[in-house]
Amino acid sequence: FLISDRKPLGLNQINDVVSHINNKHVIQFSYSKYDTNETEVRVIEPLAIKESKERWYIIGNNHKSDNGLRAFGFDRISAVTYFGINFSPKYSIDEIKMKYDSLFAMFDAEDREVEEIVLEFDQRDGNYINSFPIHHSQIIENIKNGVRVTLKLKTTPDFIMEIMSRAWSLKVIKPVSLQLEI
């Protein structure tokens, strides 16, 4: 076996976080923001752990102000500690699954609605997309010289980056807003 040497950072903390989730412990940690390179202390109620695109995230909500579910990348977390109090979950696993069901990857575009997206790719890219679907909602149809892919999700920046990785054969059929953005 030849296994990739590319590994996400921060996974040394996963067992501790799982324990805190199981025990319903409020946790505190230092969190480095990618957009500003600032580090801030976060106090959250951890609810779940999710993998996306070979990176791992804690899903939880702010302990003091319930501003909805948020994802925190393990690669940006350090100094996880028990905050000294327990919590009662405000969100069920089903609610967490429902939030991420309409997203590609992790980050939500809360101002956008789920929409039907229709894309076309050449046959080569279509074979790749058929063997490793873009999203679980994917329906693939063979067309002349390629495939048509229909998806139902939000058009987030992560989704746009994903489809742009096959830009040489990508044709956006709908929605028009995505055509214009691409």
Side-chain angles (χ1 to χ4, degrees):
F1 292 99
L2 298 176
I3 299 173
S4 174
D5 292 331
R6 186 177 180 202
K7 305 279 186 235
L9 299 176
L11 294 184
N12 57 319
Q13 304 172 94
I14 203 163
N15 289 333
D16 289 341
V17 172
V18 168
S19 177
H20 292 306
I21 290 170
N22 289 335
N23 291 306
K24 297 177 179 38
H25 290 164
V26 174
I27 60 172
Q28 175 177 301
F29 52 82
S30 295
Y31 191 68
S32 299
K33 297 174 73 175
Y34 277 160
D35 57 346
T36 63
N37 284 331
E38 295 174 358
T39 299
E40 38 185 59
V41 173
R42 296 293 184 111
V43 179
I44 71 160
E45 299 170 357
L47 300 166
I49 293 175
K50 183 174 184 339
E51 180 272 337
S52 177
K53 296 182 71 173
E54 298 185 57
R55 293 180 183 262
W56 289 85
Y57 299 84
I58 300 172
I59 299 172
N61 63 292
N62 185 306
H63 174 63
K64 292 187 178 167
S65 63
D66 180 14
N67 56 354
L69 294 168
R70 297 287 183 255
F72 303 93
F74 270 96
D75 58 324
R76 294 176 266 160
I77 292 172
S78 62
V80 176
T81 59
Y82 174 43
F83 191 65
I85 57 176
N86 292 6
F87 69 95
S88 294
K90 295 177 181 82
Y91 299 93
S92 70
I93 289 298
D94 288 339
E95 290 171 308
I96 295 168
K97 286 179 183 176
M98 191 179 337
K99 175 184 172 79
Y100 291 98
D101 189 53
S102 63
L103 302 176
F104 174 84
M106 289 300 297
F107 298 100
D108 197 352
E110 293 173 354
D111 59 328
R112 296 191 178 209
E113 296 294 320
V114 174
E115 56 190 334
E116 183 176 77
I117 299 164
V118 179
L119 311 170
E120 290 182 356
F121 298 93
D122 69 15
Q123 192 63 53
R124 181 188 59 186
D125 282 342
N127 286 332
Y128 278 103
I129 292 165
N130 195 33
S131 70
F132 190 44
I134 296 169
H135 187 255
H136 67 85
S137 67
Q138 175 173 306
I139 297 171
I140 198 160
E141 169 190 358
N142 290 317
I143 59 172
K144 185 177 181 183
N145 299 321
V147 299
R148 178 172 291 135
V149 177
T150 303
L151 307 155
K152 289 196 182 203
L153 51 82
K154 291 183 179 184
T155 55
T156 63
D158 287 337
F159 170 70
I160 291 169
M161 286 190 295
E162 177 70 13
I163 63 173
M164 288 303 293
S165 71
R166 302 221 171 268
W168 52 80
S169 79
L170 169 65
K171 180 177 180 185
V172 177
I173 306 303
K174 73 179 205 182
V176 173
S177 58
L178 183 58
Q179 286 176 343
L180 297 172
E181 197 164 349
I182 298 295

